Amino acid sequence: MKTQVAIIGAGPAGLLLSEILHRQGVTSVVLEQRSREHVLSRIRAGVLEQTTVDLLRANGLGERMDAQGHPHDGMRIVWAGRDSFFIDCQKHLGKRFMSYGQTQIQEDLFAAADRRGALVLTEATEVQPMDIAGERPHVLFRHGGESHRLDCDFIAGCDGFHGVSRKSMPAGVLREYEKAYPFGWLGILSRTRPLPDVTYANHPRGFALASMRSDTLSRYYVQVPLADKVDDWSDDRFWSELTARFPPELAARIETGPSIEKSIAPLRSFVAEPMRHGRLFLCGDAAHIVPPTGAKGLNLAASDVFYLGRALAAWYGSGRTDLIDGYSAMALRRVWSSVRTSWYLTNLLHRFPGASEFDQRAQETELDYLKASAHAQASLAEQYAGMPFETA
Ligand code: APR
Ligand code: PHB
């Protein structure tokens, strides 16, 4: 088999890259280890920055998002005993957000791939990038009980944190940065009407978040100890803990109902640099993980594939090499900006086990400052909205 770009992973990064490349006349084959049903069953992020929304629209992926998504202007913050305040990205930057599930984006991406007859091979196993430092890279894999070789010009590693691509880079190439937080988020999805705003709560009992996927689908989270298991949390226990962490007037407006998904994820940050070695490029979770605070993960996957798609299209279109050579540095500038924002918000909004009274007062003073200062709010709005894409 032969193609121009071999893409490993059919998550949002891999399928969106394939779509962007197709629209620029560049061919690709996507190799995914799991089944399509498995990929489509994952419940993940769901707040899209304006740049991500624009990118999806520009690539023919906006129709259902615009019909079913929930547009909003920013984030509300509340903490124990105080009135809430709103970080208004529309007011400060003219940028909005869209609540629209990653699960729905995956469906839209598979539908678009089917429409153009894209080659997306699911249940491809033993996928291995080869000769990445040379001029003739290829990918070995097994599919349908047989061994295959896919020859290509470039390989895009869009295979998530546990994928094979990052691990295929030779020892000594990558520098890895990591931070683990001493808690997780327990999240649920329910068919209930959401609160009007994405609302972050810092409470002595721990962090809580009210979010949404649509006007009838809510997503809520509470900070939990790392040792907690999903089975420890009945729906009743979840709702009573959630509402205890919001001020009474907001808690009274939270509509409860049966959960349709419930999971726990530990919070951590990870960045691997550079995001390229030879003809292998990393995109999305394959290169970096952010804690969910600030909802940056999916948006970073989108910016990586925007930069890589543009760079590869320029290489094929006019032989331009500066964009593929500059890919890693350019992508990482936006990655670190979002890594920093999610680190800042994680520190601002959670209760850290073992925090001293000094730490606690410093955190509360930061919240007081944010609430009182229009400048601080404008600065956070800029970070929460995400950096614009750099021009080529
Ligand atoms: N071979 C082939 N496919 C693989 C391999 C492998 N060795 N390892 C992993 N994959 C596949 C996974 O099964 C998955 O479908 O790669 C895909 C990676 O998808 P994601 O984990 O969703 O990562 P990405 O596309 O970078 O999406 C960005 O944003 O909301 C965040 O973390 C969240 O998944 C989200 C991410
Ligand atoms: C979500 O809706 O899943 C969500 C929203 C905001 C976050 C994180 C997750 O900061």
Side-chain angles (χ1 to χ4, degrees):
M1 291 169 76
K2 190 163 172 46
T3 190
Q4 289 175 315
V5 181
I7 299 176
I8 305 177
L15 286 185
L16 181 56
L17 178 63
S18 165
E19 193 65 34
I20 290 173
L21 290 175
H22 169 74
R23 287 168 173 261
Q24 302 289 325
V26 178
T27 63
S28 67
V29 172
V30 182
L31 303 173
E32 163 61 49
Q33 69 178 3
R34 310 304 293 257
S35 67
R36 182 187 287 220
E37 293 67 38
H38 177 90
V39 173
L40 287 171
S41 69
R42 296 190 294 227
I43 308 277
R44 290 211 179 140
V47 176
L48 308 180
E49 297 167 1
Q50 182 79 58
T51 38
T52 306
V53 170
D54 292 345
L55 181 65
L56 292 172
R57 284 184 186 140
N59 285 283
L61 294 156
E63 198 176 324
R64 191 162 70 123
M65 171 182 73
D66 284 319
Q68 296 179 9
H70 179 107
H72 59 273
D73 292 343
M75 72 198 296
R76 185 166 292 284
I77 298 178
V78 293
W79 80 106
R82 319 289 213 286
D83 292 335
S84 69
F85 60 96
F86 189 68
I87 302 296
D88 193 334
C89 299
Q90 162 72 2
K91 182 178 95 182
H92 291 293
L93 299 135
K95 289 184 179 175
R96 306 195 75 202
F97 298 87
M98 183 73 85
S99 289
Y100 187 61
Q102 184 170 318
T103 316
Q104 281 63 46
I105 294 175
Q106 285 273 188
E107 287 170 0
D108 297 346
L109 284 164
F110 271 115
D114 289 345
R115 277 197 299 276
R116 65 182 159 86
L119 204 48
V120 180
L121 297 179
T122 51
E123 298 176 73
T125 57
E126 297 171 41
V127 175
Q128 185 57 56
M130 303 296 292
D131 290 343
I132 56 175
E135 296 276 297
R136 297 179 177 280
H138 58 277
V139 183
L140 300 178
F141 63 98
R142 287 187 65 78
H143 189 253
E146 287 176 28
S147 298
H148 298 270
R149 172 185 168 128
L150 174 61
D151 287 298
C152 55
D153 301 321
F154 299 100
I155 302 171
C158 303
D159 46 357
F161 180 72
H162 299 288
V164 66
S165 298
R166 192 180 68 254
K167 293 174 196 143
S168 303
M169 292 194 175
V173 164
L174 288 180
R175 172 135 193 215
E176 299 184 346
Y177 300 83
E178 202 159 8
K179 182 167 183 67
Y181 293 93
F183 39 74
W185 279 16
L186 166 65
I188 73 154
L189 197 62
S190 70
R191 287 195 205 291
T192 50
R193 247 175 320 145
L195 289 182
D197 297 320
V198 175
T199 305
Y200 295 78
N202 177 330
H203 189 274
R205 299 179 69 91
F207 168 82
L209 169 61
S211 183
M212 70 284 283
R213 291 289 174 271
S214 72
D215 294 338
T216 53
L217 201 54
S218 300
R219 181 84 168 144
Y220 292 103
Y221 300 91
V222 291
Q223 173 186 348
V224 294
L226 283 173
D228 277 23
K229 302 273 171 282
V230 170
D231 290 344
D232 301 334
W233 286 86
S234 65
D235 285 1
D236 282 349
R237 180 175 174 209
F238 179 87
W239 290 117
S240 65
E241 188 59 42
L242 180 79
T243 48
R245 296 182 187 190
F246 280 93
E249 72 279 8
L250 279 177
R253 292 167 66 190
I254 292 177
E255 218 178 73
T256 63
S259 65
I260 49 178
E261 197 263 350
K262 200 187 277 166
S263 55
I264 294 182
L267 267 68
R268 67 197 167 118
S269 256
F270 170 86
V271 183
E273 302 186 351
M275 289 170 63
R276 173 201 182 182
H277 181 69
R279 291 192 168 225
L280 171 65
F281 297 83
L282 301 179
C283 295
D285 279 16
H288 42 75
I289 301 280
V290 286
T293 334
K296 295 296 183 189
L298 176 59
N299 292 293
L300 286 180
S303 56
D304 290 350
V305 300
F306 168 76
Y307 287 137
L308 184 58
R310 184 173 69 181
L312 291 172
W315 190 87
Y316 284 107
S318 60
R320 228 178 125 171
T321 56
D322 61 318
L323 290 179
I324 54 174
D325 290 341
Y327 165 72
S328 175
M330 196 180 273
L332 281 165
R333 279 193 285 277
R334 200 167 191 281
V335 167
W336 274 108
S337 168
S338 293
V339 164
R340 199 203 76 81
T341 301
S342 55
W343 163 79
Y344 169 78
L345 287 172
T346 301
N347 286 319
L348 180 74
L349 296 169
H350 292 78
R351 295 292 169 135
F352 283 71
S356 65
E357 284 182 23
F358 177 93
D359 296 334
Q360 192 52 44
R361 287 302 294 270
Q363 190 193 58
E364 286 169 15
T365 303
E366 175 78 19
L367 283 159
D368 270 329
Y369 168 59
L370 259 181
K371 184 171 179 209
S373 165
H375 298 292
Q377 290 184 16
S379 166
L380 181 54
E382 184 174 50
Q383 298 168 63
Y384 186 54
M387 278 170 53
F389 293 152
E390 294 181 37
T391 50

